[in-house]
Amino acid sequence: MSDFLIVGGGVIGMMTALQLSDAGASVALVERGECGREASWAGGGIVSPLYPWRYSRPISALSRWSEGRYPELAGRLHEETGIDPEYRQKGLLYLRVDDVEPALNWAREMAKPLERIAAEALYAREPSAAPGFDSALWMPTLGSIRNPRLGQALRQRLRQMSQVTLHEGVTVTGFARTGRVIHGVQTLTGELHAGQTLVCTGAWSRELLDTVDVALPIRPVRGQMILFRAPPGLVERVVLKDGRYVIPRADGRVLAGSTLEEVGFDKQTTAAARASLYASALSIVPALADCPVEHHWAGLRPGSPDGVPAIGAVPGFEGLHVNAGHFRNGLVLAPAATRLLVDQLIGCEPIVDPRPYWLSAPS
């Protein structure tokens, strides 16, 4: 029997497993498909909220802690697995921002580099950006990571660790329990037991916790994206306009995203979304019109009230915990969100106040 059993093999589940195993615990991770192939694969990989000044303090606290951890994590995984997650720290250009003063005030309060730059500086940084802008906001410290490769590297590292057992292709149907004590999970092929059970199943977390009558306000929110095959150097940094963005990869490919659609668990792509994303991308970088669209896909984000994730023990049960509901910021918050839960599980001082993320305050 493992010390910990994690349900869900996305970035949240895998980072949790990595941190627990680093702490010397034995960990079983259960994933119904292949680890890292749902929302963690489908996102863009920007490691900051898109407009961070518009978010609540609980999200800002986690994102600030997380952002500085990605260079070290990416370097570690590359060294240990040979898979490069391609962390790039080339900054973010914001075009056409309506709330400039609140943004700059937020940056001063948080000691975050953010400045308004003139057109000359904008086009010096991104010559391919659409013409006609007389200014932009510039955040030089923002980074991005190639999230599919991050997922591959995490999965490979966990497979190398003797105290971690991956159960892929295993569907969890409920919890193994005695009254209010959780002993593990029930699956289609039998029970798996552990000292503590963690639910990290993203948009599917509500369904699993429904089996023990725990109401978790998480819903699936579809996001569609497209990928351009562009020449290296056409786009060098993340550029954001009107809530849509382009993200360059090291090989020149450019992602464009994303939609926000309340359609339940439907992951189908649509022609309307493709056309909208294509138009948005060209409004940011017109030269993408000469580049073919190589791929179009959709993923399901775990939507939650105000985007604040649920992190901590599930009230009324012994041995059951949750880390879910990160909405658009799963990759952004993952290092801090997983560390926050691990701190509570192993008795360390939490990195931030855990109370804003609890399902409910203890009585």
Side-chain angles (χ1 to χ4, degrees), residues 92 96 172 178:
L92 168 61
R96 200 156 68 192
V172 172
T178 303

Side-chain angles (χ1 to χ4, degrees), residues 18-322:
L18 180 64
Q19 292 180 34
L20 286 170
S21 59
D22 281 345
S26 59
V27 183
L29 189 151
V30 186
E31 165 58 42
R32 66 177 181 179
E34 180 181 301
C35 290
R37 295 295 301 176
E38 286 288 352
S40 301
W41 175 88
I46 301 173
V47 293
S48 168
L50 295 183
Y51 297 93
W53 56 90
R54 299 176 185 173
Y55 283 87
S56 64
R57 287 187 178 274
I59 296 176
S60 295
L62 293 177
S63 65
R64 287 183 68 194
W65 196 94
S66 285
E67 188 173 342
R69 270 63 189 178
Y70 267 108
E72 178 184 356
L73 176 63
R76 171 192 174 175
L77 291 172
H78 191 189
E79 176 69 23
E80 292 175 341
T81 70
I83 300 170
D84 185 3
E86 291 188 12
Y87 178 78
R88 292 162 50 94
Q89 190 172 16
K90 299 215 171 183
L92 168 61
L93 285 164
Y94 293 91
L95 306 180
R96 200 156 68 192
V97 175
D98 294 330
D99 52 349
V100 171
E101 288 309 315
L104 296 175
N105 290 337
W106 168 87
R108 285 189 288 269
E109 181 182 349
M110 297 291 177
K112 182 76 173 178
L114 180 70
E115 62 178 315
R116 191 199 317 245
I117 59 173
E120 182 179 2
L122 158 61
Y123 293 107
R125 287 171 173 81
E126 203 58 61
S128 296
F133 292 95
D134 57 11
S135 66
L137 287 180
W138 167 239
M139 184 182 288
T141 57
L142 180 129
S144 64
I145 199 156
R146 197 160 185 167
N147 44 297
R149 295 193 180 182
L150 173 64
Q152 292 168 15
L154 283 167
R155 177 176 181 262
Q156 178 62 21
R157 179 59 187 136
L158 294 178
R159 293 176 70 183
Q160 295 169 348
M161 304 180 85
S162 60
Q163 65 270 44
V164 177
T165 304
L166 295 185
H167 300 273
E168 295 184 307
V170 175
T171 299
V172 172
T173 57
F175 295 100
R177 56 185 290 202
T178 303
R180 313 297 285 184
V181 179
I182 303 299
H183 305 294
V185 295
Q186 299 171 340
T187 78
L188 294 177
T189 55
E191 293 188 352
L192 295 170
H193 295 156
Q196 305 287 327
T197 300
L198 286 57
V199 176
C200 303
T201 46
W204 291 266
S205 299
R206 179 174 184 167
E207 290 189 323
L208 182 53
L209 287 171
D210 275 347
T211 66
V212 288
D213 298 319
V214 172
L216 189 66
I218 290 177
R219 69 195 190 281
V221 181
R222 185 170 69 190
Q224 299 187 53
M225 299 188 70
I226 58 175
L227 178 70
F228 291 88
R229 189 170 72 247
L234 177 64
V235 183
E236 284 293 336
R237 60 205 84 241
V238 180
V239 187
L240 177 63
K241 180 173 79 72
D242 300 335
R244 295 279 177 87
Y245 50 80
V246 296
I247 306 170
R249 299 305 197 203
D251 59 10
R253 287 177 169 83
V254 177
L255 286 77
S258 65
T259 63
L260 284 169
E261 304 170 72
E262 302 276 357
V263 293
F265 287 97
D266 182 358
K267 288 201 302 181
Q268 294 183 85
T269 57
T270 65
R274 185 187 189 282
S276 176
L277 292 168
Y278 186 83
S280 293
L282 268 58
S283 77
I284 299 171
V285 178
L288 288 171
D290 298 324
C291 305
V293 173
E294 191 172 62
H295 193 34
H296 174 204
W297 68 95
L300 298 177
R301 307 178 185 90
S304 56
D306 302 319
V308 178
I311 305 172
V314 176
F317 288 88
E318 182 182 332
L320 182 60
H321 311 266
V322 65

